[in-house]
Amino acid sequence: MQHTTIEAALAKAASVNVTMLIQVGCDLAGSRWAAQAAKAHPAVHATVALHPNEAPRLVLGDGDGWSRQRRGPGGPAALDEQLTQIATLAARPEVVGVGETGLDYFRTGPEGVAIQQESFRRHIAIAKQCGKALVIHDRDAHEDVLRILAEEGAPERVIFHCYSGDVAMAKVCVDRGYFMSFAGPVTFKANDELRAALRVAPQDLVLVETDAPFLTPAPYRGRPNAPYLIPLTVRSMAQTRGEDLAELCAALDANTRRAFGVN
């Protein structure tokens, strides 16, 4: 994959009027990098967390985490240590959210579920302690994610990153005031159910994202994704919702600032 500098990525994004970016952390090293990038670039804000697949890797040493590193089992102490460091990062002013956290049952077997759920609960506590948004990764785990949020008491601002639920789940999110962030899959021809969920979401709870370099919107599906491609997803969303494009753009900007607490 061709690499680019932060400055080049920001300039290319700005050329299509994408002027604010959220760099998401998925492990400790990535979270540190996100915070550093946000501190160095006013257009960038950071979120920090251990991706759901990282927690079983740290405890069990199963190699199935986000960072794909195989190592011996670290045990619960390894998870505790890294969560402590995530909490320290989350308190920094350039960090606007705690995430991606949540649950991912696609890659983690039954032996890792309890560890994932414990890590998710700990991230919820960090978000509330720091007063930051909670950014949720939810893959094949809708019911458990919603249950744990209810059990722990959700932070004031909750964002379902790369929303993948159905209409019924979208209605729960609406009732609870959770933001739903849509990415490239909403442009894919087969995803009628996802578009139906998008139509259910009120305008003030809708966000957009890339999940770069993944989930590139049509017609460039399969190529590396990047922030400059956001307009393709937004145009598709406006068409799906039957809304004026400029109105939706203004709402997405306002929603993003409100969700992450940025000016």
Side-chain angles (χ1 to χ4, degrees):
M1 182 184 297
Q2 184 178 4
H3 294 281
T4 188
T5 65
I6 296 178
E7 291 78 11
L10 289 173
K12 196 166 187 178
S15 72
V16 294
N17 206 31
V18 177
T19 57
M20 178 174 62
L21 284 72
I22 309 293
Q23 178 63 40
V24 175
C26 290
D27 58 16
L28 185 55
S31 294
R32 287 172 175 157
W33 187 89
Q36 291 168 0
K39 187 173 183 179
H41 300 276
V44 180
H45 304 280
T47 72
V48 298
L50 304 179
H51 188 280
N53 292 324
E54 282 296 289
R57 181 186 68 82
L58 286 168
V59 176
L60 303 175
D62 61 7
D64 287 332
W66 176 265
S67 55
R68 302 294 182 184
Q69 297 176 359
R70 287 195 173 274
R71 61 181 66 178
L79 179 61
D80 289 343
E81 178 184 350
Q82 293 212 7
L83 284 172
T84 297
Q85 295 184 63
I86 290 294
T88 299
L89 286 171
R92 293 169 56 164
E94 63 270 23
V95 174
V96 297
V98 175
E100 296 174 29
T101 182
L103 302 174
D104 186 326
Y105 293 167
F106 180 76
R107 294 190 184 279
T108 296
E111 71 282 359
V113 168
I115 300 168
Q116 277 200 4
Q117 292 186 3
E118 173 61 20
S119 177
F120 183 29
R121 293 179 193 274
R122 299 274 294 278
H123 280 87
I124 292 172
I126 292 169
K128 291 195 290 188
Q129 176 185 344
C130 296
K132 304 293 174 73
L134 183 73
V135 181
I136 293 176
H137 172 100
D138 165 30
R139 188 168 187 184
D140 296 347
H142 304 327
E143 291 185 6
D144 280 353
V145 166
L146 291 172
R147 173 180 58 80
I148 290 172
L149 280 171
E151 289 174 357
E152 295 297 315
E156 181 180 351
R157 291 165 289 138
V158 172
I159 299 153
F160 274 83
H161 135 80
C162 263
Y163 182 83
S164 61
D166 56 14
V167 168
M169 182 175 171
K171 290 179 178 177
V172 174
C173 290
V174 173
D175 289 342
R176 298 186 185 180
Y178 300 158
F179 291 93
M180 289 162 275
S181 184
F182 293 84
V186 80
T187 72
F188 299 168
K189 186 175 180 180
N191 280 351
D192 289 335
E193 187 173 33
L194 185 59
R195 284 184 285 275
L198 172 61
R199 284 189 287 267
V200 166
Q203 191 183 75
D204 65 348
L205 291 179
V206 172
L207 301 175
V208 68
E209 65 178 284
T210 58
D211 196 39
F214 310 111
L215 302 181
T216 309
Y220 300 111
R221 186 177 182 181
R223 303 182 191 180
N225 202 357
Y228 77 91
L229 294 173
I230 275 284
L232 296 175
T233 304
V234 175
R235 291 189 189 103
S236 174
M237 291 169 64
Q239 183 177 12
T240 294
R241 293 173 60 85
E243 291 177 345
D244 176 75
L245 180 59
E247 178 187 340
L248 180 59
C249 286
L252 291 169
D253 180 73
N255 293 349
T256 301
R257 295 177 187 279
R258 181 163 47 91
F260 289 102
V262 299
N263 298 323

